[in-house]
Amino acid sequence: MSEKKEDVRFEKFGTVSFTRTTRVNNFIDHLENDKVMYTHCKTCGAKFFPPRADCAGCLSSDMEWCEVSGTGKLVSYSQLQYAPVGFEADVPYSIALLDYGEYQVFGRLTGDLDLADVKIGMPMTTVVNELSNGQLNFIFKKA
Amino acid sequence: MGKVAIIGVGQSKFVRNYPGSIRELAFEGFKEAITDAGITAKDIDASILCSAPEYDKQRSPAAVVAEYLGLNPQPTFYVESLCSSSSMGLKMAYAMVASGVHDAVAVIGLQKMSEISSAESQERMGRGADIQWESPFGTMMPAYYAMHAQAHMDKYGTTLEDLAAIRVKASTYGQINDRAVFRKAITQDMFADPKNRMSDPVSSPLRVGDCCANADGTSCLIVVSEERAKSLCKKPVWILGVGAASASVNLAGRDRLHGLKAAEQAAQQAYAMAGVGPKDIDVAEVHDCFTIAEILAYEALGFAEPGGAKELIRGKETYKEGSIPVNVDGGLLSKGHPIGATGGSQVRSIVLQLRGEAGDIQVKDPQIGLVHNIGGVGIYGNVTILGNE
Ligand SMILES: [Zn+2]
């Protein structure tokens, strides 16, 4: 009998991933195909970012993947001068929240933005980003 | 349900590196609280230990603490809601006593943040949020509160000087609190001086001076039934309202960043239960882990309209002589913030105020006090209202 190999695709998410296994690890395959995706409950229509495997509203687990597309509005951001262990090489970097109306996305601002040009409420897009250590995340760019 | 009172309060000094074990630390606050109540460990029916487990090397720490304090064979419980653990513990003690399950419960808040090395602590820091979807971006507590500060400043015109003014107020009282870890004076000039450490950026727009310090410390509250309170205590302080709410961990699930909804909901619950409103509060302790957090608290609690917090601090209305004194013990910014012990320490300050035993920081004749204690960045909101009647 061969043991089924553990699916640890999610270890590839972010500078340092803290999650080995999840039932939404197809998210990583989509990132590899240059797409940031959310989940959509086929039973009740709810949209989830971050993606969920299960809907707490209707208890369905029948989800489909849809692309985070168009622009979101910048809700807020902050540039860090200190970082947790494992993130030191990234300093300084800015975390941020984008509002897409039906859902919001938490991530990072693209590193080449001058913060003087960043304004709360400005439209931004979410794009896949390969980190210098080969890991994948997503970042927000000026629309 | 019967009334529930607090008849004993205690806390250790909050210090940088406590030179003892966690059970020895717990002893300091417990001894002060039961001495204050005039009772012994045998009079306690149950204990609740409140701490954030990522700092505890001891597994199931409630057991070793109960043993060391002479609280066997009474049952002991372990409660965790990050920085609001001991307010949550107080709510659970309230429920146990009001329901008649227990008559006297000790709520012990505890954190020895120096229990783990600073490297271990750094490593844990990145996991203080949604570890699946937020932590991989390199998040830290100051950065989340900084996002709230940025949003509040943008929406309401709150300024960096307003944030600094909160710290200046805290240091005014921290200097005269011998239990506080930070006892130096802080001025607006320090924030304006790029060579001063207080102005060093941490996470924009927050600076070193906007952040509270880690500390080791403990607090203890003795919570009893009306019958016990009347037989044991001349000046019981009554628990009039206990509100608690939770919110999504991931900021993507929040409907606002210019306020903390869980705090607003907890406040509404506590006011409704106590049958009072913001205007009835004579003295308050709020969760100022960062300067912006105190600004958000003024608005969540209804001391100011949304956006009006800056006027309260500009007018010094939250100083001891003002219309609504807030954190006149120095707050977390001066006392330090030993996670699990913080809520109990806030409650202790209000109990002493209501008894008229607050010494140099005594507010004039307060009858109703309030404690606002937040876990995480608004994940857990807890508001407790206490009174003399
Ligand atoms: Zn559904």
Side-chain angles (χ1 to χ4, degrees), chain B residues 143-159:
Chain B
Y144 286 108
Y145 265 108
M147 286 176 72
H148 286 77
Q150 196 76 260
H152 198 274
M153 291 166 74
D154 183 74
K155 187 172 174 71
Y156 296 126
T158 305
T159 65

Side-chain angles (χ1 to χ4, degrees), chain A residues 41-46 48 55-60 63:
Chain A
C41 174
K42 285 161 84 172
T43 308
C44 78
F48 299 111
C55 179
C58 75
L59 302 184
S60 166
M63 296 281 174

Side-chain angles (χ1 to χ4, degrees), chain A residues 53-89:
Chain A
D54 311 292
C55 179
C58 75
L59 302 184
S60 166
S61 299
D62 190 12
M63 296 281 174
E64 64 182 357
W65 289 95
C66 304
E67 190 171 1
V68 174
S69 59
T71 63
K73 276 201 308 197
L74 180 64
V75 179
S76 195
Y77 65 97
S78 175
Q79 186 183 66
L80 290 85
Q81 301 296 334
Y82 298 91
V85 168
F87 295 85
E88 299 89 339

